[in-house]
């Protein structure tokens, strides 16, 4: 099953439990559909449509999913090179593509022309790297030997290997070989006998050979432990900047400093696709959250903030253009973008003009913030004796609503001199087309929004021990990990098996375990459930504090004791200390994110958004080129 679906003419969709055929795209948020049961045509909201296939799948048997980090480096490199060749061939179009081009691709990849055609057909449906990654065999797990030989192997393994006076695998194989020859059967190989033996759960093997007490001690959990931009979405530029505004905390309404703004900006239309505001320094997590916001539809997000407007900008970018900061060069972002068929291109060093579009947009946005109480302006000459901290009145949450309202109701409907149109009109023309230029159609929508979020979260690989999993001095455990304790690597019986775990840095009270057999994620909480939710910056701050105080052995108890002390000190000092108020506001922002993540997946009643009123175009000034924020400290 595809991870996305696209609303386009002749597409089969579901609305209100009934099937419809899309007849015509009328607007970014409305399509004309024909109901199959009655042939009645009606206008429907694009945000309320679901792919027909999604409701035909059984919820008890979800389609297999791929975790990006589970792919080995060699497989990823091979699939990436294959994808590049097929993508170029696919771009030529089926009518312009010649047989010689297909043969050239088959020679370059060492594959048959039939394979190239099959890949092209699959790539037409799902433009992602998963097309080129190996699929699990449909007969995986099925045994091909005769029943008699299987029984002989089972008996020989019990007789020679599953007992306290255990022999060797060669002994068991010799026994099987003898019985097979006496019955005229072909004996299995030594390696197959070894695989059958290793397929038995290790806990059972240890209990048979070393006793139940040893197996219990080893495998039972410890209780209580713990690239031109010719169309929309062709090129999206991403960058960070400190906001030219002092914000206040929600309790005492006193200044706590400037937040960081990360934006995803569509170069073709100059529309803002998405953004992220927080009180941390720029980093990979901010980029992931910004991309997640940019790629998803915004109807639910706007409703949560009581913003009565439309923001019909969403979809998967074809290319992301960034600067050279380290958060844009990490494995998590690189693999996630690759998996979704997104190219990541970094601007040449020493060439800030390559990021001019996004930086000019920053200038436009910041110029508007200069009209707010508490602005820091763009430089000290403009500020003069203005008391930014004393005039500040907006909290982070209030500024987020203000900024969203400005973008959706003013900026997107304001005449832009470079494109001779408004950003929203330009975005709509690129998708739906004009009288003399066809559009590319509405973007694909993501079926599994939670998967998209998890794919952009940081990950690690860990073995499962009796106490569960340890990450940054914090222990995690859950029932689903019990059967994974001391599990051996299926590709190397001598090595312990490592599993993939992900986490949201805003809330480290839960991590996400990727089950390679069930092909799904599972929440793994603290091993000690009494621990309070905490953000990653709090945990690391507590660790730094203990090391600074001379503590050599940092443990989980001392970390959470330190967090509790820090919070108590900050609460008592928040009325007078800006840094303490900033820390408190960080925590409240993280807690809101935690609650939102817990609500993910809950059914939310959707409403049709009324079309926006036409705003009389006014000219946006194209100010002087602004200084990029490439040198922000991301430590």
């Amino acid at each position: 099953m595809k991870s996305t679906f696209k609303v386009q003419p002749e597409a089969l969709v579901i609305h209100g439990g009934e099937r419809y055929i899309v007849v015509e795209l009328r607007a970014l948020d409305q399509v004309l559909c024909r109901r199959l049961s009655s042939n009645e045509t009606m206008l429907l909201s694009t945000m309320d449509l679901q792919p027909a296939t999604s409701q035909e799948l059984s919820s008890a048997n979800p389609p297999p999913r791929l975790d990006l980090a589970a792919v080995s480096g060699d497989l990823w490199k091979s699939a990436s090179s294959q994808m590049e060749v097929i993508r170029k061939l696919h771009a030529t179009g089926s009518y312009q593509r010649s047989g010689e081009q297909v043969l050239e691709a088959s020679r370059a990849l060492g594959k048959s022309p039939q394979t190239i055609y099959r890949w092209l057909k699959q790539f037409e449906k799902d433009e992602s790297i998963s097309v080129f990654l190996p699929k699990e065999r449909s007969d995986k797990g099925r045994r091909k030997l005769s029943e008699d030989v299987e029984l002989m192997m089972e008996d020989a393994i019990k007789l020679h290997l599953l007992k306290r006076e255990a022999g060797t695998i060669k002994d068991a194989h010799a026994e099987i070989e003898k019985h097979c020859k006496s019955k005229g059967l072909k004996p299995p190989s030594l390696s197959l006998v070894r695989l059958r033996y290793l397929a038995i759960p290790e806990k059972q093997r240890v209990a048979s050979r070393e006793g139940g007490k040893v197996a219990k001690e080893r495998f039972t959990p410890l209780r209580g432990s713990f690239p031109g931009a010719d169309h929309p979405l062709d090129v999206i530029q991403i960058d960070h900047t400190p906001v030219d505004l002092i914000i206040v905390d929600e309790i005492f309404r006193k200044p706590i400093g400037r937040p960081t703004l990360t934006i995803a900006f569509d170069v073709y239309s100059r529309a803002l696709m998405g953004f992220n505001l927080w009180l941390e320094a720029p980093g990979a997590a901010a980029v992931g959250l910004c991309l997640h916001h940019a790629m998803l539809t915004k109807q639910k997000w706007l409703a949560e903030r009581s913003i009565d407007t439309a923001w019909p900008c969403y979809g998967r970018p074809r290319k992301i253009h960034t600067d050279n900061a380290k958060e844009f060069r990490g494995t998590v972002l690189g693999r996630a973008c690759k998996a979704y068929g997104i190219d990541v291109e970094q601007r040449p060093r020493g060439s800030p003009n390559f990021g001019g579009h996004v930086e000019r947009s920053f200038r436009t946005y910041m110029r508007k913030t200069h009209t707010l109480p508490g602005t820091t302006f763009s430089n000290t000459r403009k500020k003069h004796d203005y008391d930014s901290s004393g005039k500040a009145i907006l909290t982070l949450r209030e500024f987020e609503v203000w900024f969203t309202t400005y973008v959706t109701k003013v900026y997107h409907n304001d005449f832009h001199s470079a494109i001779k149109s408004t950003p929203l009109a330009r975005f709509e023309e690129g998708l739906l087309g004009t009288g003399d230029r066809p559009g590319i159609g509405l973007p694909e929508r993501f079926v599994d929004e939670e998967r998209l979020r998890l794919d952009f979260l940081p990950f690690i690989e860990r073995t499962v021990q009796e106490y569960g999993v340890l990450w940054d001095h914090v222990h995690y455990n859950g029932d689903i990990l019990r059967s994974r304790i001391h599990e051996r690597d299926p590709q190397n019986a001598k090595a312990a098996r490592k599993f993939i775990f992900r986490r949201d840095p805003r809330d480290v009270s839960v991590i996400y375990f990727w089950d390679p057999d069930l092909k799904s994620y599972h929440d793994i909480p603290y091993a000690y459930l009494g621990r309070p939710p905490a953000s990653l910056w709090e945990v690391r701050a507590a660790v730094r504090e203990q090391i600074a105080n001379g503590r050599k052995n940092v443990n989980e108890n001392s970390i959470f004791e330190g967090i509790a002390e820090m919070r108590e000190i900050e609460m008592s000092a928040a009325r007078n200390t800006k840094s303490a108020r900033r820390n408190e506001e960080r925590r409240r922002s993280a807690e809101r994110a935690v609650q939102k993540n817990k609500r993910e997946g809950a059914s939310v009643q959707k409403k049709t958004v009324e079309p926006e009123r036409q705003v009389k175009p006014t000219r946006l000034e194209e100010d002087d080129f602004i200084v990029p924020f490439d040198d922000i400290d991301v430590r």
Side-chain angles (χ1 to χ4, degrees):
M1 176 185 172
K2 285 187 66 176
S3 60
T4 61
F5 80 99
K6 188 170 185 176
V7 179
Q8 58 187 349
E10 300 184 8
L12 183 64
V13 296
I14 297 289
H15 179 270
E18 293 200 52
R19 290 167 169 256
Y20 291 79
I21 288 288
V22 177
V23 177
E24 183 182 354
L25 306 179
R26 287 293 178 88
L28 290 180
D29 58 350
Q30 285 189 327
V31 291
L32 183 66
C33 297
R34 186 178 75 252
R35 182 186 293 166
L36 293 185
S37 60
S38 63
N39 281 331
E40 177 186 5
T41 58
M42 59 185 66
L43 280 174
L44 300 176
S45 168
T46 57
M47 304 310 167
D48 294 337
L49 303 181
Q50 298 296 327
T53 53
S54 68
Q55 296 200 1
E56 296 169 356
L57 292 170
S58 170
S59 59
N61 297 291
R65 305 195 328 175
L66 166 74
D67 187 276
L68 313 178
V71 183
S72 68
D74 291 339
L75 280 177
W76 187 270
K77 184 177 180 181
S78 174
S80 297
S81 60
Q82 291 166 351
M83 180 177 175
E84 293 305 316
V85 174
I86 297 302
R87 176 187 283 174
K88 292 177 181 178
L89 194 59
H90 175 263
T92 62
S94 57
Y95 294 105
Q96 292 79 23
R97 188 185 306 132
S98 66
E100 181 59 36
Q101 288 175 305
V102 175
L103 286 174
E104 184 179 347
S106 69
R107 288 192 291 265
L109 297 177
K111 301 291 183 179
S112 67
Q114 290 80 4
T115 298
I116 302 301
Y117 282 116
R118 175 169 55 83
W119 278 348
L120 283 168
K121 185 177 180 180
Q122 294 173 347
F123 196 70
E124 179 74 31
K125 297 179 180 179
D126 189 4
E127 299 180 24
S128 72
I129 199 171
S130 61
V131 172
F132 308 96
L133 292 171
K135 311 296 187 298
E136 287 192 354
R137 287 170 41 180
S138 59
D139 62 348
K140 183 178 179 181
R142 299 179 186 174
R143 298 185 173 184
K144 300 181 180 180
L145 297 178
S146 67
E147 186 177 351
D148 288 341
V149 175
E150 289 288 355
L151 288 173
M152 288 179 194
M153 278 201 293
E154 184 178 335
D155 291 341
I157 287 173
K158 287 181 180 179
L159 180 63
H160 292 277
L161 301 176
L162 297 180
K163 63 179 184 178
R164 300 297 289 267
E165 305 83 6
T168 65
I169 294 177
K170 287 186 178 181
D171 296 332
H173 180 254
E175 181 77 12
I176 299 166
E177 203 170 37
K178 181 179 71 173
H179 286 289
C180 284
K181 287 181 179 180
S182 67
K183 294 189 176 185
L185 300 173
K186 182 180 179 180
S189 65
L190 176 64
S191 61
L192 182 56
V193 176
R194 180 180 289 108
L195 287 174
R196 287 288 191 272
Y197 171 67
L198 294 176
I200 299 171
E202 189 175 6
K203 183 178 181 180
Q204 181 181 341
R205 288 187 271 128
V206 172
S208 299
R209 297 165 68 103
E210 303 178 43
K213 183 178 180 181
V214 174
K216 183 177 181 180
E217 290 175 351
R218 288 185 59 184
F219 294 95
T220 301
L222 297 178
R223 298 295 179 186
S225 60
F226 327 22
D230 300 320
H231 305 95
L233 298 169
D234 274 353
V235 180
I236 300 297
Q237 289 188 338
I238 300 181
D239 211 343
H240 319 279
T241 187
V243 178
D244 291 347
L245 182 74
I246 300 293
I247 62 172
V248 300
D249 71 288
E250 293 185 353
I251 302 299
F252 303 105
R253 311 293 296 193
K254 290 192 174 184
I256 58 175
R258 301 164 65 184
T260 298
L261 173 66
T262 304
I263 67 171
F265 180 82
D266 181 57
V267 174
Y268 171 81
S269 65
R270 308 305 199 265
L272 186 68
M273 300 298 299
F275 70 92
N276 179 65
L277 266 172
W278 67 352
L279 294 169
E280 306 298 324
V287 177
L289 292 170
C290 178
L291 271 174
H292 179 255
H293 186 229
M295 294 165 72
L296 295 183
T297 56
K298 313 290 192 298
Q299 189 177 28
K300 176 182 173 183
W301 188 89
L302 292 168
E304 289 174 346
R305 289 153 181 79
S306 301
I307 302 175
D308 59 340
T309 188
W311 190 352
C313 301
Y314 66 93
R316 174 174 56 182
R318 290 159 184 82
K319 178 187 289 186
I320 291 174
H321 202 263
T322 71
D323 64 20
N324 284 278
K326 68 179 182 180
E327 62 266 23
F328 299 116
R329 293 181 270 112
T331 302
V332 176
L333 179 64
R335 283 208 168 191
C337 288
K338 194 74 172 181
Y340 286 98
I342 303 171
D343 290 333
V344 179
E345 182 178 289
Q346 294 174 348
R347 70 182 68 158
R349 292 185 180 275
S351 303
N353 55 301
F354 277 80
H357 294 94
V358 68
E359 288 151 3
R360 278 193 292 271
S361 71
F362 274 140
R363 183 63 175 230
T364 299
Y365 305 150
M366 292 306 105
R367 186 188 304 116
K368 196 65 178 179
T369 65
H370 297 168
T371 65
L372 294 174
T375 179
T376 61
F377 299 96
S378 56
N379 55 60
T380 55
R381 289 180 300 171
K382 289 185 176 181
K383 184 178 179 182
H384 300 292
D385 59 350
Y386 182 81
D387 183 8
S388 300
S389 296
K391 299 287 187 179
I393 60 170
L394 292 177
T395 66
L396 185 67
R397 182 79 167 179
E398 291 165 346
F399 177 68
E400 180 185 66
V401 172
W402 177 92
F403 182 70
T404 303
T405 303
Y406 162 69
V407 168
T408 55
K409 293 189 175 182
V410 179
Y411 173 75
H412 277 169
N413 297 286
D414 211 350
F415 183 81
H416 198 294
S417 61
I419 58 176
K420 311 301 180 185
S421 180
T422 68
L424 190 58
R426 174 83 164 181
F427 190 80
E428 183 172 355
E429 289 172 1
L431 296 180
L432 304 182
T434 61
D436 56 354
R437 184 177 181 181
I440 61 173
L442 294 181
E444 297 171 319
R445 287 168 53 195
F446 288 90
V447 178
D448 192 341
E449 296 184 2
E450 178 66 3
R451 175 185 176 179
L452 179 66
R453 183 180 75 89
L454 292 173
D455 280 343
F456 282 91
L457 289 182
F459 71 90
I460 57 166
E461 291 182 305
R462 288 284 190 274
T463 59
V464 179
Q465 304 296 321
E466 297 94 329
Y467 53 75
V469 176
L470 182 67
W471 193 352
D472 277 344
H473 306 283
V474 180
H475 293 78
Y476 300 88
N477 212 340
D479 289 342
I480 198 168
L481 298 182
R482 293 175 184 269
S483 61
R484 303 295 189 173
I485 296 173
H486 291 308
E487 184 170 334
R488 312 310 293 175
D489 191 327
Q491 306 299 324
N492 181 8
K494 296 182 180 180
R497 187 174 190 178
K498 291 185 176 181
F499 298 94
I500 293 165
F501 297 87
R502 295 178 182 269
R503 72 179 174 191
D504 189 329
R506 298 170 297 180
D507 173 32
V508 298
S509 66
V510 63
I511 59 176
Y512 305 95
F513 163 62
W514 171 256
D515 190 312
D517 297 328
L518 299 178
K519 300 292 188 293
S520 59
Y521 283 102
H522 302 272
D523 295 3
I524 308 297
Y526 289 144
Y528 278 167
L529 298 179
R531 305 285 191 205
S535 63
L536 182 58
W537 70 264
E538 284 185 290
V539 172
R540 291 181 172 172
V543 172
R544 287 195 301 267
E545 182 70 19
Q546 292 183 49
I547 293 175
N549 290 336
R551 185 188 290 268
K552 295 182 179 180
N553 298 318
V554 178
N555 59 62
E556 184 171 349
N557 283 329
S558 59
I559 288 174
F560 281 94
E561 287 172 2
I563 290 175
E565 291 174 5
M566 287 161 50
R567 290 180 176 180
E568 185 177 348
I569 293 170
E570 287 164 1
M571 279 298 293
S572 62
R575 189 178 298 275
N576 301 313
T577 309
K578 182 170 74 174
S579 61
R581 291 194 299 272
R582 187 177 180 90
N583 289 342
E584 276 295 307
E585 188 65 23
R586 279 170 167 166
R587 184 154 44 254
R588 279 188 290 272
S589 297
E591 288 172 354
R592 282 194 295 266
V594 172
Q595 295 303 318
K596 180 181 181 298
N597 290 340
K598 289 181 178 178
R599 293 194 304 268
E600 292 290 345
S603 57
V604 176
Q605 184 177 4
K606 298 181 179 181
K607 62 180 181 179
T608 303
V609 180
E610 295 293 332
E612 292 185 38
R613 292 186 298 111
Q614 292 295 320
V615 180
K616 183 178 180 180
T618 56
R619 181 176 298 274
L620 282 180
E621 296 180 8
E622 289 280 350
D623 211 340
D624 294 335
F625 183 74
I626 67 168
V627 177
F629 292 89
D630 292 354
D631 298 325
I632 291 177
D633 184 5
V634 296
R635 291 176 293 175

